[in-house]
């Protein structure tokens, strides 16, 4: 048995930050992302850094666990109710991947509105003149409307860039009083009806699960594009596939999916007007370093008995400990 604290990783972090963490703790990496492997690596851990969804009962078999740190922002990978009940500290790293996600959204807008993939394929297969003719059907972002669902750190940064490109911006948020200057508050129906570009950047909650359903997609502006950097279940996938097949939407960029990894036979692969990426909008060399650095710093605070800077369940932990 080791006398050093044990920190478990659900998958690898930035190697420099792994090495820094290893100076203060024994670091163990899960063999894979299966429930059994995650429970095995966490069983004797004092702290856990999360990059893969945790099984709902993981805390039942991790009696030494003091804290869990999300390597990123979204907390849907962590069974929060169970963490609260066990009095386990949960922290995340807000802002570490904001720039990366926003730049992905801008790249996806340009990719879809300017038909870049189709132009490239046509130039290679059919030649110069057909590719030029096809490209002339592309659309400018300037003068169009960008609708953002979830105007947090990512949504606010994206709104500023969209405005700099002469786009009008609509925002759907629970707190319209927090919208940046120039962003007009809109309900779901208005945002879908008026937006040329719809960006989903909201957390997955019971309120947002399935919010982009068949009715919402029917009300979308013809030819609009949809970009999902939130979570797959925010969208009714069957309804989205139908809207794309019927060309009611001009295209979609999907970084997140109902099932991850995407099965090889997923119907979305057959659609030509979709940009598919494997949940990497927030992943760049710089953002991975920032997220790993922030996660390691929060873990080291927890191991020292200090509160993490971004302790997301402070009140719930306090209540659990009072009732213990």
């Amino acid at each position: 048995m080791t006398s050093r604290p044990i920190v478990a990783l659900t998958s690898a972090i930035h190697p420099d930050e792994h090495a820094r963490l290893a100076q203060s703790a024994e670091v163990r990496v899960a063999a894979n992302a299966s429930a059994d492997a995650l429970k095995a690596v966490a069983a004797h851990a004092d702290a856990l850094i999360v990059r893969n969804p945790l099984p709902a009962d993981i805390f039942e078999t991790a009696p030494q666990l003091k804290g869990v740190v999300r390597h990123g922002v979204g907390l849907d990978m962590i069974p929060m109710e169970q963490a609260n009940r066990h009095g386990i500290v949960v922290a995340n790293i807000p802002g570490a991947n904001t720039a990366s996600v926003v730049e992905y959204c801008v790249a996806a807008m340009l990719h879809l509105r300017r038909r870049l993939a189709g132009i490239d394929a046509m130039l290679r297969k059919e030649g110069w003149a057909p590719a030029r003719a096809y490209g002339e059907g592309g659309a400018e972002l300037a003068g169009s409307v960008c609708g953002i669902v979830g105007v947090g750190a990512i949504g606010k940064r994206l709104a500023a860039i969209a405005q700099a490109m002469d786009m009008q911006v609509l925002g759907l948020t629970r707190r319209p009083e927090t919208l940046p200057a120039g962003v007009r508050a809109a309900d779901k129906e208005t945002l879908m009806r008026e937006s040329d570009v719809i960006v989903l950047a909201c957390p997955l909650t019971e309120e947002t699960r399935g919010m982009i359903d068949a009715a919402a997609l029917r009300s979308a502006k013809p030819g609009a594009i949809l970009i999902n950097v939130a979570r797959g279940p925010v969208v009714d996938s069957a309804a989205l596939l139908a809207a794309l097949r019927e060309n009611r939407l001009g295209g979609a960029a999907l970084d997140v999916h109902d099932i991850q990894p995407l099965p090889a036979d997923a119907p979305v692969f057959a659609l030509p007007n979709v940009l598919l990426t494997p949940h990497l909008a927030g992943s760049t060399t710089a953002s991975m370093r920032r997220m790993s650095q922030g996660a390691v710093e929060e873990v080291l605070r927890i191991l020292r008995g200090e509160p993490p800077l971004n302790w997301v369940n402070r009140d719930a932990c306090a209540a659990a400990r009072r009732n213990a």
Side-chain angles (χ1 to χ4, degrees):
M1 297 294 290
T2 179
S3 60
R4 307 176 79 208
I6 297 172
V7 177
L9 314 179
T10 66
S11 58
I13 62 174
H14 192 282
D16 291 350
E17 295 304 316
H18 183 123
R20 182 161 71 100
L21 181 58
Q23 295 174 5
S24 301
E26 178 183 339
V27 182
R28 300 178 181 178
V29 184
N32 54 58
S34 69
D36 286 345
L38 294 175
K39 286 195 279 188
V41 80
H44 302 289
D46 297 281
L48 176 64
I49 295 179
V50 177
R51 293 192 61 201
N52 297 104
L54 299 178
D57 61 345
I58 191 168
F59 303 133
E60 302 293 339
T61 56
Q64 296 176 204
L65 199 61
K66 302 176 181 68
V68 174
V69 179
R70 174 71 173 95
H71 188 279
V73 182
L75 298 172
D76 55 295
M77 290 186 178
I78 300 170
M80 290 299 298
E81 288 186 12
Q82 290 83 348
N84 295 341
R85 188 172 69 248
H86 286 271
I88 293 173
V89 172
V90 178
N92 64 355
I93 316 300
N97 63 0
T98 296
S100 300
V101 176
V102 169
E103 290 178 9
Y104 174 95
C105 292
V106 174
M109 290 182 196
L110 293 167
H111 175 94
L112 292 169
R113 297 291 279 178
R114 294 299 302 271
R115 301 179 165 185
L116 296 180
I119 294 168
D120 177 85
M122 194 168 288
L123 177 59
R124 294 170 188 272
K125 293 181 180 178
E126 300 182 34
W128 188 273
R132 278 186 59 89
Y134 178 73
E136 288 171 1
E140 294 180 353
L141 293 175
S144 66
V145 178
C146 178
I148 303 173
V149 179
V151 194
I154 290 167
K156 286 181 170 67
R157 179 85 65 92
L158 180 60
I161 293 175
Q163 289 172 314
M165 293 191 295
D166 293 327
M167 300 180 78
Q168 300 176 49
V169 182
L170 303 179
L172 173 57
T173 177
R174 292 176 300 170
R175 297 179 295 164
E177 69 277 5
T178 67
L179 288 172
V183 177
R184 177 160 59 95
D187 58 23
K188 182 172 72 172
E189 183 179 356
T190 301
L191 185 142
M192 297 297 293
R193 184 179 65 247
E194 296 186 11
S195 298
D196 300 285
V197 178
I198 301 157
V199 180
L200 308 179
C202 54
L204 177 63
T205 66
E206 288 310 307
E207 289 73 29
T208 63
R209 185 180 295 273
M211 71 178 297
I212 306 301
D213 54 12
L217 291 165
R218 281 195 298 270
S219 67
K221 181 186 263 190
I225 63 172
L226 179 105
I227 299 170
N228 189 3
V229 292
R231 288 293 185 266
V234 170
V235 180
D236 180 331
S237 295
L240 176 61
L241 290 175
L244 290 164
R245 288 192 188 103
E246 296 163 11
N247 293 314
R248 288 185 278 118
L249 291 179
L254 306 177
D255 184 54
V256 288
H257 314 276
D258 286 342
I259 301 173
Q260 296 187 171
L262 268 174
D265 60 350
V268 72
F269 282 120
L271 297 175
N273 52 343
V274 180
L275 171 64
L276 294 172
T277 52
H279 200 162
L280 51 62
S283 300
T284 62
T285 301
S287 71
M288 285 298 294
R289 180 182 286 274
R290 287 193 298 268
M291 287 186 285
S292 293
Q293 181 180 23
V296 167
E297 289 173 353
E298 291 287 54
V299 162
L300 292 176
R301 290 186 187 97
I302 291 168
L303 294 180
R304 292 193 299 263
E306 301 171 5
L309 294 183
N310 201 63
W311 187 354
V312 298
N313 65 338
R314 183 189 299 265
D315 292 342
C317 277
R321 290 168 183 174
R322 282 197 303 269
N323 296 330

